[in-house]
PDB file of all heavy atoms in Angstrom:
ATOM      1  N   TRP A1093     -11.193  15.514  37.523  1.00 71.00           N
ATOM      2  CA  TRP A1093     -10.769  15.098  38.866  1.00 71.00           C
ATOM      3  C   TRP A1093     -11.809  15.419  39.935  1.00 71.00           C
ATOM      4  O   TRP A1093     -11.718  14.918  41.051  1.00 71.00           O
ATOM      5  CB  TRP A1093      -9.432  15.757  39.221  1.00 71.00           C
ATOM      6  CG  TRP A1093      -9.394  17.222  38.971  1.00 71.00           C
ATOM      7  CD1 TRP A1093      -9.833  18.220  39.785  1.00 71.00           C
ATOM      8  CD2 TRP A1093      -8.887  17.877  37.795  1.00 71.00           C
ATOM      9  NE1 TRP A1093      -9.644  19.448  39.229  1.00 71.00           N
ATOM     10  CE2 TRP A1093      -9.046  19.282  37.999  1.00 71.00           C
ATOM     11  CE3 TRP A1093      -8.308  17.449  36.613  1.00 71.00           C
ATOM     12  CZ2 TRP A1093      -8.651  20.221  37.050  1.00 71.00           C
ATOM     13  CZ3 TRP A1093      -7.908  18.378  35.682  1.00 71.00           C
ATOM     14  CH2 TRP A1093      -8.088  19.742  35.894  1.00 71.00           C
ATOM     15  N   SER A1104     -14.598  12.436  28.669  1.00 88.00           N
ATOM     16  CA  SER A1104     -14.482  11.267  27.797  1.00 88.00           C
ATOM     17  C   SER A1104     -14.938  11.575  26.379  1.00 88.00           C
ATOM     18  O   SER A1104     -14.239  11.270  25.398  1.00 88.00           O
ATOM     19  CB  SER A1104     -15.311  10.104  28.368  1.00 88.00           C
ATOM     20  OG  SER A1104     -15.289   8.981  27.499  1.00 88.00           O
ATOM     21  N   LEU A1109     -13.703  12.969  20.692  1.00 92.00           N
ATOM     22  CA  LEU A1109     -13.942  13.824  19.525  1.00 92.00           C
ATOM     23  C   LEU A1109     -12.655  14.478  19.040  1.00 92.00           C
ATOM     24  O   LEU A1109     -12.429  14.605  17.822  1.00 92.00           O
ATOM     25  CB  LEU A1109     -14.981  14.886  19.857  1.00 92.00           C
ATOM     26  CG  LEU A1109     -16.415  14.376  20.045  1.00 92.00           C
ATOM     27  CD1 LEU A1109     -17.329  15.529  20.453  1.00 92.00           C
ATOM     28  CD2 LEU A1109     -16.928  13.724  18.766  1.00 92.00           C
ATOM     29  N   TYR A1145      19.518  11.713 -19.072  1.00 90.00           N
ATOM     30  CA  TYR A1145      19.791  10.744 -18.015  1.00 90.00           C
ATOM     31  C   TYR A1145      20.842   9.737 -18.478  1.00 90.00           C
ATOM     32  O   TYR A1145      21.788   9.418 -17.740  1.00 90.00           O
ATOM     33  CB  TYR A1145      18.520  10.005 -17.618  1.00 90.00           C
ATOM     34  CG  TYR A1145      18.756   8.916 -16.596  1.00 90.00           C
ATOM     35  CD1 TYR A1145      18.745   9.193 -15.235  1.00 90.00           C
ATOM     36  CD2 TYR A1145      19.034   7.606 -16.991  1.00 90.00           C
ATOM     37  CE1 TYR A1145      18.990   8.207 -14.296  1.00 90.00           C
ATOM     38  CE2 TYR A1145      19.285   6.606 -16.065  1.00 90.00           C
ATOM     39  CZ  TYR A1145      19.256   6.912 -14.722  1.00 90.00           C
ATOM     40  OH  TYR A1145      19.514   5.928 -13.802  1.00 90.00           O
ATOM     41  N   ARG A1154      31.392   4.396 -23.697  1.00 71.00           N
ATOM     42  CA  ARG A1154      30.447   3.532 -24.399  1.00 71.00           C
ATOM     43  C   ARG A1154      29.595   4.376 -25.355  1.00 71.00           C
ATOM     44  O   ARG A1154      29.195   5.498 -25.039  1.00 71.00           O
ATOM     45  CB  ARG A1154      29.529   2.814 -23.403  1.00 71.00           C
ATOM     46  CG  ARG A1154      30.268   1.927 -22.399  1.00 71.00           C
ATOM     47  CD  ARG A1154      30.826   0.683 -23.062  1.00 71.00           C
ATOM     48  NE  ARG A1154      31.469  -0.214 -22.117  1.00 71.00           N
ATOM     49  CZ  ARG A1154      30.852  -1.166 -21.447  1.00 71.00           C
ATOM     50  NH1 ARG A1154      29.551  -1.342 -21.609  1.00 71.00           N
ATOM     51  NH2 ARG A1154      31.511  -1.933 -20.615  1.00 71.00           N
ATOM     52  N   PRO A1160      14.396   2.487 -29.456  1.00 94.00           N
ATOM     53  CA  PRO A1160      13.129   3.013 -28.913  1.00 94.00           C
ATOM     54  C   PRO A1160      12.153   1.880 -28.623  1.00 94.00           C
ATOM     55  O   PRO A1160      11.917   1.011 -29.459  1.00 94.00           O
ATOM     56  CB  PRO A1160      12.616   3.916 -30.039  1.00 94.00           C
ATOM     57  CG  PRO A1160      13.829   4.254 -30.848  1.00 94.00           C
ATOM     58  CD  PRO A1160      14.698   3.032 -30.782  1.00 94.00           C
ATOM     59  N   THR A1190      20.970  -0.546 -37.113  1.00 87.00           N
ATOM     60  CA  THR A1190      20.984  -1.504 -36.003  1.00 87.00           C
ATOM     61  C   THR A1190      21.827  -2.721 -36.387  1.00 87.00           C
ATOM     62  O   THR A1190      21.649  -3.279 -37.485  1.00 87.00           O
ATOM     63  CB  THR A1190      19.567  -1.964 -35.660  1.00 87.00           C
ATOM     64  OG1 THR A1190      18.763  -0.820 -35.359  1.00 87.00           O
ATOM     65  CG2 THR A1190      19.570  -2.910 -34.467  1.00 87.00           C
ATOM     66  N   PHE A1200      11.372  -9.379 -19.819  1.00 92.00           N
ATOM     67  CA  PHE A1200      10.749  -8.920 -18.576  1.00 92.00           C
ATOM     68  C   PHE A1200      11.304  -9.776 -17.430  1.00 92.00           C
ATOM     69  O   PHE A1200      10.868 -10.915 -17.247  1.00 92.00           O
ATOM     70  CB  PHE A1200       9.226  -9.074 -18.631  1.00 92.00           C
ATOM     71  CG  PHE A1200       8.549  -8.216 -19.657  1.00 92.00           C
ATOM     72  CD1 PHE A1200       7.827  -8.794 -20.687  1.00 92.00           C
ATOM     73  CD2 PHE A1200       8.624  -6.835 -19.590  1.00 92.00           C
ATOM     74  CE1 PHE A1200       7.186  -8.019 -21.632  1.00 92.00           C
ATOM     75  CE2 PHE A1200       7.991  -6.037 -20.536  1.00 92.00           C
ATOM     76  CZ  PHE A1200       7.275  -6.628 -21.563  1.00 92.00           C
ATOM     77  N   ALA A1203       8.752 -11.505 -14.955  1.00 90.00           N
ATOM     78  CA  ALA A1203       7.614 -12.232 -15.511  1.00 90.00           C
ATOM     79  C   ALA A1203       7.874 -13.730 -15.545  1.00 90.00           C
ATOM     80  O   ALA A1203       9.021 -14.185 -15.621  1.00 90.00           O
ATOM     81  CB  ALA A1203       7.298 -11.734 -16.918  1.00 90.00           C
ATOM     82  N   ASP A1221      12.213   4.910 -44.618  1.00 89.00           N
ATOM     83  CA  ASP A1221      13.631   5.145 -44.322  1.00 89.00           C
ATOM     84  C   ASP A1221      14.351   3.895 -43.853  1.00 89.00           C
ATOM     85  O   ASP A1221      15.524   3.955 -43.471  1.00 89.00           O
ATOM     86  CB  ASP A1221      13.769   6.250 -43.271  1.00 89.00           C
ATOM     87  CG  ASP A1221      13.122   5.873 -41.940  1.00 89.00           C
ATOM     88  OD1 ASP A1221      12.498   4.798 -41.854  1.00 89.00           O
ATOM     89  OD2 ASP A1221      13.243   6.661 -40.972  1.00 89.00           O
ATOM     90  N   GLY A1222      13.673   2.751 -43.859  1.00 88.00           N
ATOM     91  CA  GLY A1222      14.296   1.491 -43.470  1.00 88.00           C
ATOM     92  C   GLY A1222      14.121   1.126 -42.014  1.00 88.00           C
ATOM     93  O   GLY A1222      14.552   0.047 -41.586  1.00 88.00           O
ATOM     94  N   THR A1223      13.477   2.000 -41.214  1.00 91.00           N
ATOM     95  CA  THR A1223      13.233   1.684 -39.802  1.00 91.00           C
ATOM     96  C   THR A1223      12.186   0.583 -39.704  1.00 91.00           C
ATOM     97  O   THR A1223      11.093   0.710 -40.258  1.00 91.00           O
ATOM     98  CB  THR A1223      12.761   2.927 -39.039  1.00 91.00           C
ATOM     99  OG1 THR A1223      13.777   3.940 -39.107  1.00 91.00           O
ATOM    100  CG2 THR A1223      12.474   2.596 -37.589  1.00 91.00           C
ATOM    101  N   LYS A1224      12.518  -0.463 -38.982  1.00 93.00           N
ATOM    102  CA  LYS A1224      11.609  -1.599 -38.831  1.00 93.00           C
ATOM    103  C   LYS A1224      10.981  -1.570 -37.446  1.00 93.00           C
ATOM    104  O   LYS A1224      11.683  -1.447 -36.435  1.00 93.00           O
ATOM    105  CB  LYS A1224      12.356  -2.914 -39.039  1.00 93.00           C
ATOM    106  CG  LYS A1224      11.455  -4.147 -38.963  1.00 93.00           C
ATOM    107  CD  LYS A1224      12.246  -5.411 -39.237  1.00 93.00           C
ATOM    108  CE  LYS A1224      11.342  -6.644 -39.193  1.00 93.00           C
ATOM    109  NZ  LYS A1224      12.092  -7.898 -39.456  1.00 93.00           N
ATOM    110  N   THR A1242       0.647   0.400   4.751  1.00 88.00           N
ATOM    111  CA  THR A1242      -0.351   1.458   4.926  1.00 88.00           C
ATOM    112  C   THR A1242      -1.756   0.997   4.544  1.00 88.00           C
ATOM    113  O   THR A1242      -2.653   1.837   4.379  1.00 88.00           O
ATOM    114  CB  THR A1242       0.034   2.688   4.089  1.00 88.00           C
ATOM    115  OG1 THR A1242       0.171   2.296   2.715  1.00 88.00           O
ATOM    116  CG2 THR A1242       1.340   3.287   4.573  1.00 88.00           C
ATOM    117  N   TRP A1275       3.806  13.775 -23.120  1.00 90.00           N
ATOM    118  CA  TRP A1275       3.615  12.940 -21.926  1.00 90.00           C
ATOM    119  C   TRP A1275       3.216  13.764 -20.713  1.00 90.00           C
ATOM    120  O   TRP A1275       3.928  14.667 -20.281  1.00 90.00           O
ATOM    121  CB  TRP A1275       4.896  12.168 -21.612  1.00 90.00           C
ATOM    122  CG  TRP A1275       4.635  11.031 -20.670  1.00 90.00           C
ATOM    123  CD1 TRP A1275       4.553  11.091 -19.306  1.00 90.00           C
ATOM    124  CD2 TRP A1275       4.383   9.680 -21.036  1.00 90.00           C
ATOM    125  NE1 TRP A1275       4.267   9.870 -18.789  1.00 90.00           N
ATOM    126  CE2 TRP A1275       4.146   8.962 -19.818  1.00 90.00           C
ATOM    127  CE3 TRP A1275       4.318   8.991 -22.237  1.00 90.00           C
ATOM    128  CZ2 TRP A1275       3.877   7.604 -19.806  1.00 90.00           C
ATOM    129  CZ3 TRP A1275       4.047   7.637 -22.219  1.00 90.00           C
ATOM    130  CH2 TRP A1275       3.828   6.956 -21.009  1.00 90.00           C
ATOM    131  N   TYR A1306      24.890  -5.481 -11.099  1.00 70.00           N
ATOM    132  CA  TYR A1306      24.742  -6.923 -11.281  1.00 70.00           C
ATOM    133  C   TYR A1306      26.130  -7.554 -11.215  1.00 70.00           C
ATOM    134  O   TYR A1306      26.912  -7.453 -12.173  1.00 70.00           O
ATOM    135  CB  TYR A1306      24.083  -7.233 -12.625  1.00 70.00           C
ATOM    136  CG  TYR A1306      22.688  -6.674 -12.758  1.00 70.00           C
ATOM    137  CD1 TYR A1306      22.437  -5.510 -13.484  1.00 70.00           C
ATOM    138  CD2 TYR A1306      21.607  -7.305 -12.140  1.00 70.00           C
ATOM    139  CE1 TYR A1306      21.157  -5.002 -13.599  1.00 70.00           C
ATOM    140  CE2 TYR A1306      20.324  -6.795 -12.248  1.00 70.00           C
ATOM    141  CZ  TYR A1306      20.109  -5.639 -12.976  1.00 70.00           C
ATOM    142  OH  TYR A1306      18.839  -5.132 -13.081  1.00 70.00           O
ATOM    143  N   PRO A1307      26.468  -8.206 -10.101  1.00 71.00           N
ATOM    144  CA  PRO A1307      27.814  -8.774  -9.949  1.00 71.00           C
ATOM    145  C   PRO A1307      27.966 -10.102 -10.689  1.00 71.00           C
ATOM    146  O   PRO A1307      28.264 -11.147 -10.093  1.00 71.00           O
ATOM    147  CB  PRO A1307      27.928  -8.950  -8.436  1.00 71.00           C
ATOM    148  CG  PRO A1307      26.536  -9.204  -7.991  1.00 71.00           C
ATOM    149  CD  PRO A1307      25.648  -8.407  -8.907  1.00 71.00           C
ATOM    150  N   LYS A1313      31.074 -13.827 -20.763  1.00 70.00           N
ATOM    151  CA  LYS A1313      32.509 -13.521 -20.845  1.00 70.00           C
ATOM    152  C   LYS A1313      33.083 -13.624 -19.440  1.00 70.00           C
ATOM    153  O   LYS A1313      32.333 -13.686 -18.453  1.00 70.00           O
ATOM    154  CB  LYS A1313      32.726 -12.117 -21.409  1.00 70.00           C
ATOM    155  CG  LYS A1313      32.081 -11.014 -20.567  1.00 70.00           C
ATOM    156  CD  LYS A1313      32.281  -9.652 -21.192  1.00 70.00           C
ATOM    157  CE  LYS A1313      31.630  -8.556 -20.330  1.00 70.00           C
ATOM    158  NZ  LYS A1313      31.832  -7.213 -20.905  1.00 70.00           N
ATOM    159  N   ASN A1327       6.087   2.384 -15.309  1.00 94.00           N
ATOM    160  CA  ASN A1327       5.446   2.386 -13.999  1.00 94.00           C
ATOM    161  C   ASN A1327       3.965   2.706 -14.121  1.00 94.00           C
ATOM    162  O   ASN A1327       3.573   3.626 -14.849  1.00 94.00           O
ATOM    163  CB  ASN A1327       6.093   3.430 -13.082  1.00 94.00           C
ATOM    164  CG  ASN A1327       7.590   3.228 -12.941  1.00 94.00           C
ATOM    165  OD1 ASN A1327       8.055   2.519 -12.058  1.00 94.00           O
ATOM    166  ND2 ASN A1327       8.360   3.864 -13.818  1.00 94.00           N
ATOM    167  N   ALA A1354     -20.761  -2.057  25.718  1.00 86.00           N
ATOM    168  CA  ALA A1354     -22.029  -2.277  26.403  1.00 86.00           C
ATOM    169  C   ALA A1354     -21.879  -3.256  27.556  1.00 86.00           C
ATOM    170  O   ALA A1354     -22.609  -3.182  28.554  1.00 86.00           O
ATOM    171  CB  ALA A1354     -23.076  -2.789  25.414  1.00 86.00           C
ATOM    172  N   SER A1355     -20.902  -4.179  27.441  1.00 84.00           N
ATOM    173  CA  SER A1355     -20.725  -5.156  28.529  1.00 84.00           C
ATOM    174  C   SER A1355     -20.273  -4.489  29.818  1.00 84.00           C
ATOM    175  O   SER A1355     -20.463  -5.041  30.915  1.00 84.00           O
ATOM    176  CB  SER A1355     -19.706  -6.222  28.113  1.00 84.00           C
ATOM    177  OG  SER A1355     -18.393  -5.683  28.049  1.00 84.00           O
ATOM    178  N   ARG A1394      -4.733 -10.275   7.696  1.00 86.00           N
ATOM    179  CA  ARG A1394      -3.337 -10.691   7.538  1.00 86.00           C
ATOM    180  C   ARG A1394      -3.091 -11.352   6.187  1.00 86.00           C
ATOM    181  O   ARG A1394      -1.969 -11.352   5.692  1.00 86.00           O
ATOM    182  CB  ARG A1394      -2.949 -11.672   8.647  1.00 86.00           C
ATOM    183  CG  ARG A1394      -2.804 -11.065  10.024  1.00 86.00           C
ATOM    184  CD  ARG A1394      -1.691 -10.043  10.064  1.00 86.00           C
ATOM    185  NE  ARG A1394      -0.426 -10.588   9.579  1.00 86.00           N
ATOM    186  CZ  ARG A1394       0.602  -9.840   9.229  1.00 86.00           C
ATOM    187  NH1 ARG A1394       0.512  -8.534   9.268  1.00 86.00           N
ATOM    188  NH2 ARG A1394       1.710 -10.402   8.814  1.00 86.00           N
ATOM    189  N   LEU A1435     -12.853   1.406  41.280  1.00 57.00           N
ATOM    190  CA  LEU A1435     -13.531   0.609  40.268  1.00 57.00           C
ATOM    191  C   LEU A1435     -15.044   0.595  40.448  1.00 57.00           C
ATOM    192  O   LEU A1435     -15.784   0.431  39.477  1.00 57.00           O
ATOM    193  CB  LEU A1435     -13.005  -0.832  40.290  1.00 57.00           C
ATOM    194  CG  LEU A1435     -11.558  -1.032  39.815  1.00 57.00           C
ATOM    195  CD1 LEU A1435     -11.154  -2.480  39.999  1.00 57.00           C
ATOM    196  CD2 LEU A1435     -11.406  -0.619  38.363  1.00 57.00           C
TER     197      LEU A1435
END
Side-chain angles (χ1 to χ4, degrees):
W1093 49 84
S1104 176
L1109 290 177
Y1145 176 87
R1154 300 289 183 88
T1190 303
F1200 295 119
D1221 62 356
T1223 299
K1224 183 178 181 180
T1242 57
W1275 196 277
Y1306 298 102
K1313 60 182 180 179
N1327 304 270
S1355 70
R1394 288 297 306 164
L1435 291 176

